[in-house]
DNA sequence: TTCAGTAGGTTACTACCGGTAAGTTATGTG
DNA sequence: CACATAACTTACCGGTAGTAACCTACTGAA
């Protein structure tokens, strides 16, 4: 009804044209990730996003099915990026100790450089949607499994249950430390990694 | 429109009377905690809760102000209970090592015995409500500060930043392990505590 | 050149839920 | 027995997820 909000310009200038589906989808995803991450999922309406893209709501439903579906698409992209970052780091590590170190560092760097993606992942069960929750759960499993694999290299003799516990605990510690870093900007990814290594590595080298 | 849901009986039988405010509030809180914990905050409507209590929606607003206010009241109760549990455990511990052990054990026991309360606390920023989020944040700070105090006893010489990092990391580990336990019912609070102690205690005793 | 098929896009609705205004009834007390 | 008031209800509003039905610009063949 009333005029457009002051700061929600219809993304860029040239978007007042029909665009091929693939390109629109990328555009929508970009806007959605930003706005979900900064204003929150619940607070954001589909009309908000549509308006920011310079489009009408039904197109979002045409391409992503539902609001959950749109978030899901954002999460899937974030998962890919996170996996790439951590596996790349693991690829050129030397020993088992170094492997864990580099994996942790890659995680903290990810939460640093992809703040929006991290903000989406950090939210637990914001959404009452089964697909979204199982996606979040599966992202976590991915990380836990990744960590467990590293631990298996360091501690080939440890029983499986304890190994699982260690992996879960380390992932939990990572998440909290990443959130801690949001309040303490002077803590670099390197420093955070060092703190966490100081906490866990003694129990890995001795056993 | 359609009939009432099969299983949403108007709580107990005798509630078809005017009750004094204090008693109704307790009743509402009980129902709200259960239904928020099991079906989730977003999924639950105020009419749902009202119907389960055997009451009409405006009474909930009369007593709790808003949906967030109702959740907030649940959280405040959960915080009290958690604080009681952990401080009680800390009271009769002997050394610094034992102190940490008993604190962790109390936490896992809490998440075991007060499942609904824990389910509420576990949810990160489910709600776009500032009061709710700051309550959750303050509950966490409480736990972190509690842990930091314990660590200070074990490690009086450690620099403050690392100590904070350790406390955050341990709380994160606790949370993840508590969630892990939900999928692994055979893991008792004692066993979980032992795993976590195995991970962190080497770095505490040596330094 | 034209014109049908379709991908891209919109308007205008419904259903549901958080929240509220205004009114109604039970109940304890002078 | 008033009657004040605490306990409670009905009936509404605004906003948002989701949908139906319709429109329109572009493409490629006849």
């Amino acid at each position: 009804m009333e005029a457009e909000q002051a700061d929600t310009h219809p993304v860029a200038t040239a978007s007042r044209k029909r665009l091929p589906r693939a390109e629109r989808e990328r555009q929508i995803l970009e806007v959605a990730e930003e706005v979900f991450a900064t204003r929150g999922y619940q607070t954001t309406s589909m009309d908000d996003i549509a308006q920011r893209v310079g489009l009408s709501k039904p197109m979002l439903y045409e391409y992503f099915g539902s609001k959950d579906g749109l978030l899901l698409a954002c999460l899937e992209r974030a998962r890919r990026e996170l996996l790439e970052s951590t596996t790349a780091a693991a690829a050129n590590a030397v020993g088992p100790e170094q492997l864990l170190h580099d994996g942790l560092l890659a995680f903290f760097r990810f939460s640093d450089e992809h703040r929006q993606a991290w903000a989406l992942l950090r939210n637990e069960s914001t959404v009452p949607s089964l697909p979204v929750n199982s996606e979040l759960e599966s992202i976590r499993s991915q990380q836990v499994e990744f960590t467990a694999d590293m631990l298996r290299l360091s501690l080939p003799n440890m029983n499986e249950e304890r190994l699982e516990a260690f992996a879960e605990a380390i992932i939990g510690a990572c998440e909290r430390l990443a959130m801690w870093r949001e309040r303490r900007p002077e803590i670099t990814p390197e420093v955070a990694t060092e703190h966490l290594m100081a906490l866990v590595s003694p129990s890995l080298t001795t056993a």
Side-chain angles (χ1 to χ4, degrees), chain A:
Chain A
M1 295 308 173
E2 61 289 353
E4 67 293 345
Q5 288 92 312
D7 56 343
T8 61
H9 54 85
V11 92
T13 56
S15 71
R16 274 300 170 202
K17 262 195 65 178
R18 275 161 137 87
L19 290 183
R21 174 163 183 156
E23 195 169 340
R24 267 288 190 240
E25 281 181 345
R26 271 199 308 276
Q27 210 179 86
I28 293 169
L29 274 181
E30 201 175 316
V31 170
E33 178 177 304
E34 183 192 326
V35 69
F36 281 155
T38 58
R39 304 196 357 177
Y41 177 80
Q42 299 292 343
T43 322
T44 304
S45 76
M46 290 296 265
D47 278 318
D48 281 347
I49 297 173
Q51 193 190 350
R52 275 178 143 93
V53 177
L55 210 59
S56 68
K57 188 171 56 169
M59 289 309 293
L60 307 188
Y61 284 91
E62 178 72 20
Y63 289 164
F64 296 97
S66 66
K67 195 183 179 187
D68 294 345
L70 182 51
L71 177 60
L72 198 60
C74 294
L75 289 176
E76 275 158 3
R77 202 175 69 149
R79 169 162 73 168
R80 272 198 311 278
E81 290 172 354
L82 178 55
L83 189 62
E84 281 168 23
S85 297
T86 47
T87 51
N92 29 323
V94 293
E97 189 94 356
Q98 191 72 10
L99 191 62
L100 181 59
H101 177 278
D102 290 4
L104 296 176
L105 182 57
F107 175 81
F108 289 121
R109 281 190 174 146
F110 176 87
S111 75
D112 215 45
E113 292 158 10
H114 301 70
R115 288 187 191 248
Q116 293 176 352
W118 162 243
L120 293 184
L121 295 179
R122 193 188 55 193
N123 279 286
E124 297 268 336
S125 49
T126 303
V127 196
S129 147
L130 186 60
V132 168
N133 285 323
S134 49
E135 171 69 13
L136 283 169
E137 196 45 54
S138 113
I139 292 174
R140 250 187 251 274
S141 302
Q142 203 177 67
Q143 290 183 265
V144 170
E145 208 39 58
F146 197 81
T147 309
D149 287 343
M150 293 180 186
L151 294 180
R152 257 183 278 273
L153 292 179
S154 300
L155 307 162
N157 298 326
M158 179 173 281
N159 82 71
E160 194 57 28
E161 180 185 298
R162 171 150 296 178
L163 207 137
E164 238 181 273
F166 275 26
E168 294 276 353
I170 288 172
I171 291 302
C174 275
E175 287 175 359
R176 282 310 298 169
L177 285 179
M179 292 164 80
W180 180 57
R181 287 191 57 236
E182 293 175 27
R183 302 192 306 271
R184 305 278 308 257
E186 77 277 17
I187 310 287
T188 63
E190 287 76 12
V191 170
T193 303
E194 212 184 312
H195 287 321
L196 188 46
M197 287 301 286
L199 180 62
V200 305
S201 76
S203 64
L204 305 184
T205 53
T206 65

